[in-house]
Amino acid sequence: MGQWLRRVLIVWLSVVVWMLPAHAVAPLYRVMKSQSALSFIGLQQGDKFTGVFKDFDATIHYAATDLPGSSLDVVIHLPSLDTRSLERDQALISAEWFDVGRFPDARFRTVAIRQTTSGPVGDADLTIKGRTKRIAFPFVWKPTAGGATLDARVNLNRLDFGLGAGEWADAGIIGHSVEVVVHLVLTAVPPVAVPAAQPTRR
Amino acid sequence: MMRLRSSIDRWGLVARILHWGMFLLFGVTVFIGFYMVDLPRGFAKYQVYSRHKSLGITLLVLAVMRWLWRLIDTAPGRPVMPRWQSIMSSAMVAALYVVMLVIPLSGWLYNSAAGFPLQWFGYIHWPALLDANPSIKVIARQVHEAAVYIFMGLLLVHIAAACKHHWVDRDDIMRRMLPFR
Ligand code: HEM
C-alpha cells in the first residue's frame, strides 16, 4: 500500500469516527420529572377519572432533521400509579388489572419515527402485562431554550393488554378506551466528549 | 277507601308505605353493608358495593320524601300519656328522622371523598359531593358506621315501645301503622 493511500485511509477513518456519535443517534434529552406527567383518563361507571404514573424513566433521542437517529424509550414503573382513590389504586395493581407483582414495568419503545403532514409519528411497541402491541404515536415536539417539550395523546384499548379481562370486561363498569396523555419537559444533555473520537485535523 | 293522607286515628297510605318500605330496604342495605366489607377484593365485591350504594341512595331519596310528607301530612294524635313519655316519644321520632338522613348522607360523602363514581343501579349518574379528600374520607367512614349502630339502637327502643303500647297499654299506636288492618 502506498504512502499516499495510507494517508487517505487514515483521514477517511478519522472522519468516520468523528461523525459516528453525532449521526448514529440524535441528541439526547433528559426528562424534568417534576414538570412532566404521564397520565391517563379512564371511564368508571360513566365518570371520568385521571391517573398518573409518578415514576418512569425515559431515554429520548430526537432531532427533527434526523428521524432515523431519533427514538423514544420509556419504562413506566407501574406501582407508582395514582388515581386519587386508594381503593381504585389497590384494585388496579392487583392481578385482574396491571398485576404489578408479575409485571412491575410497562415499556414503550419506538421502532421508527416518521414525518407526516401533521407532525412526527412514532411507530412504537408498547408492552403492558407481558403483551406487546404496535401502536402509532403522534406527538408534538417543541424546542425550548435548553431543551424541548413533547406532548401526545393516544387512545388505547385496555383489553388489548388484558387489563380487566373476564368479568371486568363490561364497558359499562370500566370503559374500554383509555386516553393516555403525555407531557414531557426535556432538557438537552450535552454530548459527552470522547477524546478518541475527536477529529484529527492537519 | 284507602286514604293517602293520615287521619286523626290512622296513618295514611303514603306514610305506611314509606314506613314499611324503608324498614325492609334498611334491613337489606344494612345486611349487605356488613356482609360486603369482608369480601375479598374483586369484581363481586365491586358489584355488591355498587348495589349497596344504589340501595342507600334510594333510601336517601325516600328519607327526604318522608321528611317532606311529614311536613305536609298531619300525623295522628297521641293518646293521653305522661309528660315524660310524650317528650321521649318526640325525641325518639326526631332522632330517627335525623339518623335516617345521616346514614346515607355519610355514605355518599364517604364515596365522594374516596374518589369513587356512582351510578344509581347503573342507570342514573349520581354526582359526587366533593373531590377526593383523604381526611374527610376517614371521618365520613366512621360517621357512616356509628350512625348505623345508633340507628339500630334507636330502632330497638322504637320497636320495644310499639310492643309495649300494643300489649301493655293496649292502645292502637301499633295497629294504626300496621300495613293492613
Ligand atoms: C340508609 C342507607 C344506608 C345504610 C343503612 C347503610 C349501612 C351500611 C353498613 C351497615 C355498612 C357496614 C359498616 C361496617 O361494617 O363497617 C356500610 C358500609 C358502607 N356504606 Fe353504607 N349504608 C347506607 C347508605 C350508603 C350510601 C348511600 C352509600 C354510598 C353512596 C354507602 C356506602 C358505603 C360504603 C362505601 C361502605 C363500606 C365502607 C368500607 O368499605 O369500609 N352507604 N353501610
Side-chain angles (χ1 to χ4, degrees):
Chain A
M1 221 186 291
Q3 183 79 2
W4 197 79
L5 191 64
R6 238 172 62 201
R7 277 204 186 154
V8 168
L9 211 68
I10 286 171
V11 170
W12 183 78
L13 266 176
S14 307
V15 169
V16 166
V17 168
W18 171 63
M19 286 176 74
L20 255 181
H23 277 253
V25 288
L28 176 66
Y29 290 85
R30 199 179 24 241
V31 177
M32 306 294 287
K33 282 215 183 136
S34 56
Q35 298 162 50
S36 304
L38 205 58
S39 42
F40 60 94
I41 301 166
L43 208 62
Q44 181 186 1
Q45 297 198 354
D47 250 3
K48 277 187 180 175
F49 69 93
T50 304
V52 291
F53 294 104
K54 291 176 176 165
D55 193 12
F56 58 91
D57 291 311
T59 308
I60 291 176
H61 289 282
Y62 190 79
T65 52
D66 180 15
L67 292 184
S70 301
S71 63
L72 316 174
D73 189 346
V74 184
V75 176
I76 303 121
H77 307 296
L78 300 174
S80 70
L81 163 151
D82 179 8
T83 68
R84 311 239 314 136
S85 164
L86 182 69
E87 291 77 9
R88 190 163 48 216
D89 292 353
Q90 285 173 343
L92 283 178
I93 61 175
S94 71
E96 290 161 311
W97 295 86
F98 283 108
D99 198 2
V100 301
R102 288 169 63 208
F103 306 100
D105 296 331
R107 180 147 191 208
F108 168 92
R109 192 164 40 158
T110 54
V111 291
I113 298 179
R114 56 197 155 86
Q115 188 63 43
T116 69
T117 46
S118 50
V121 175
D123 293 311
D125 279 344
L126 177 61
T127 307
I128 304 174
K129 215 177 176 179
R131 298 182 197 202
T132 302
K133 189 173 185 264
R134 180 69 54 87
I135 62 166
F137 183 78
F139 59 96
V140 177
W141 180 276
K142 280 207 194 93
T144 59
T149 57
L150 188 161
D151 282 280
R153 280 172 179 269
V154 212
N155 279 299
L156 302 176
N157 182 339
R158 62 178 176 88
L159 296 182
D160 287 344
F161 302 95
L163 301 175
E167 296 166 309
W168 287 107
D170 183 352
I173 291 167
I174 310 283
H176 289 173
S177 179
V178 177
E179 187 178 23
V180 177
V181 183
V182 181
H183 174 66
L184 299 182
V185 177
L186 306 163
T187 45
V189 180
V192 190
V194 183
Q198 289 307 301
T200 43
R201 289 206 179 84
R202 300 190 179 201
Chain B
M1 198 203 117
M2 296 256 228
R3 298 195 41 181
L4 293 183
R5 295 179 70 107
S6 307
S7 58
I8 315 167
D9 60 351
R10 177 103 175 113
W11 288 98
L13 193 64
V14 175
R16 274 178 290 145
I17 286 177
L18 284 170
H19 180 274
W20 292 106
M22 286 178 75
F23 176 76
L24 288 176
L25 267 186
F26 251 111
V28 173
T29 312
V30 168
F31 178 83
I32 295 177
F34 283 129
Y35 163 78
M36 70 187 187
V37 286
D38 296 323
L39 286 177
R41 197 165 36 237
F43 186 74
K45 181 171 194 163
Y46 188 90
Q47 288 295 70
V48 174
Y49 267 61
S50 298
R51 300 278 146 73
H52 172 81
K53 295 169 192 175
S54 296
L55 286 169
I57 291 298
T58 311
L59 278 162
L60 174 63
V61 172
L62 289 175
V64 169
M65 283 167 55
R66 200 160 168 189
W67 268 77
L68 293 176
W69 185 248
R70 182 69 205 256
L71 296 177
I72 298 165
D73 198 21
T74 35
R78 284 208 183 100
V80 190
M81 56 172 83
R83 196 174 146 70
W84 69 268
Q85 253 187 43
S86 162
I87 291 174
M88 282 292 288
S89 165
S90 301
M92 266 300 295
V93 169
L96 281 169
Y97 269 89
V98 169
V99 180
M100 81 169 75
L101 275 181
V102 169
I103 297 174
L105 279 177
S106 57
W108 181 13
L109 186 66
Y110 173 70
N111 196 65
S112 311
F116 249 62
L118 180 57
Q119 257 186 333
W120 187 77
F121 292 109
Y123 294 116
I124 300 171
H125 172 81
W126 195 262
L129 282 169
L130 38 77
D131 277 347
N133 185 321
S135 43
I136 290 183
K137 179 184 158 189
V138 173
I139 298 167
R141 173 75 182 82
Q142 283 164 352
V143 170
H144 194 57
E145 188 173 359
V148 169
Y149 284 115
I150 292 172
F151 193 71
M152 294 199 301
L154 291 173
L155 221 56
L156 226 60
V157 178
H158 180 74
I159 293 168
C163 292
K164 182 212 173 238
H165 278 287
H166 192 67
W167 280 294
V168 180
D169 300 339
R170 294 184 176 278
D171 57 27
D172 65 346
I173 291 274
M174 184 140 129
R175 248 176 295 129
R176 68 194 197 179
M177 183 50 106
L178 290 181
F180 315 102
R181 223 199 275 255

